[in-house]
Amino acid sequence: MFHREVAGMTQQTTLGVIGAGNMADALIKGIGVRGLLPPSSIWVTNRSNRARLQALGARYGVQTTAAKTLLLARSSVLVIAVKPADTPTVLDELRGRVGRNQLVISVVAGFPLSRLEGALPGVAVIRAMPNTSAAVQASATALATGTHVTADQLTMAADLFRAVGDVVVTAEGVLDVVTGLSGSGPAYVYYLIEAMIHAGVELGLSDELARRLAVQTLHGAAQMLVTTAEDPAELRRRVTSPGGTTMAALGVLADRGFSTAVRDAIERAAARAREMSGEPGQDTGLSARIVTE
């Protein structure tokens, strides 16, 4: 049964999702888990994959339509969750059909607020940068607000994305860094786990055992950070006994430039995000703030 869990959502809120891919699936699933909206208040459409659209309707009981005009008429909040190449077409379809009383949230990488607001003049627009961990309600999502967004609309957007994990609000000037750090971040972690598993197997463990140990080690370390809220450097020091095995391993990573490689990777991802948006480099000396319930 629908219950109003957080302040920004009301029983009058209706959500329209343009795009029926993985992010749409994750968001709809999270909304259902949190009980933010009933399925009857969620509309979904996509360009051509009708089978995918029907699957979402069958899985979650949401309303599906091939007609964007119907979805636009029924939705107070619109989420654009399509591929970057399809976004100009979607914006053309929305132009003149979205009212100033509606909120538009884009999860499209590479489309700055200036382009979104240029296509939708006078409309409240928010950029959202979640990551793939939204699929298990563990995303880190950053929001950047456009010119016309009200405090209530920002709260509503934070409510929606808190359904799939943690939420921060930041200036758009640092959103490319967020993309490099947390948007692409899950891939860095998977890459590390891959390397740990391969090393374990090469040194004599079975693939199953190496994977189990590596994954649980990551899970436990992340849980320690969440539960204790301590500085990761302090937790690292506690497990690094002088002259011990951990110190020997960390010495190898330091010699190979581990920290520098991670920093350079995040910087390159951020630069690529700027390249995709066509925006020049921006000042990143702004801090994000956490949105709390």
Side-chain angles (χ1 to χ4, degrees), residues 107-129:
V107 298
V108 181
F111 263 78
L113 288 169
S114 59
R115 293 183 67 181
L116 295 168
E117 290 186 322
L120 305 172
V123 175
V125 177
I126 292 176
R127 282 187 67 189
M129 179 51 62

Side-chain angles (χ1 to χ4, degrees), residues 90-278:
V90 170
L91 291 176
D92 284 342
E93 293 170 338
L94 298 188
R95 195 189 309 269
R97 296 184 175 89
V98 179
R100 297 194 177 195
N101 61 332
Q102 292 173 294
L103 171 64
V104 175
I105 304 172
S106 169
V107 298
V108 181
F111 263 78
L113 288 169
S114 59
R115 293 183 67 181
L116 295 168
E117 290 186 322
L120 305 172
V123 175
V125 177
I126 292 176
R127 282 187 67 189
M129 179 51 62
N131 63 33
T132 57
S133 298
V136 291
Q137 291 87 61
S139 175
T141 301
L143 305 177
T145 61
T147 307
H148 307 288
V149 176
T150 67
D152 287 345
Q153 288 173 325
L154 176 56
T155 299
M156 187 177 299
D159 291 345
L160 285 174
F161 284 93
R162 196 177 295 113
V164 293
D166 193 21
V167 175
V168 301
V169 178
T170 184
E172 189 181 25
V174 297
L175 205 55
D176 292 330
V177 180
V178 171
T179 301
L181 177 66
S182 61
S184 299
Y188 314 153
V189 177
Y190 302 145
Y191 202 9
L192 172 62
I193 291 294
E194 281 184 80
M196 292 173 67
I197 293 171
H198 291 162
V201 171
E202 288 179 1
L203 295 172
L205 299 180
S206 69
D207 185 78
E208 179 182 0
L209 180 56
R211 186 185 192 281
R212 179 174 177 177
L213 291 174
V215 171
Q216 181 57 36
T217 298
L218 172 66
H219 176 76
Q223 193 64 37
M224 282 287 290
L225 288 166
V226 171
T227 302
T228 67
E230 293 203 45
D231 189 316
E234 175 58 27
L235 293 175
R236 173 176 55 80
R237 282 191 290 269
R238 289 183 191 174
V239 299
T240 308
S241 302
T245 59
T246 305
M247 177 172 280
L250 292 177
V252 174
L253 292 177
D255 289 343
R256 300 293 193 275
F258 180 78
S259 295
T260 300
V262 172
R263 194 266 185 201
D264 289 350
I266 293 172
E267 182 179 37
R268 182 64 190 100
R272 180 57 184 148
R274 285 191 292 272
E275 292 166 5
M276 291 171 64
S277 68

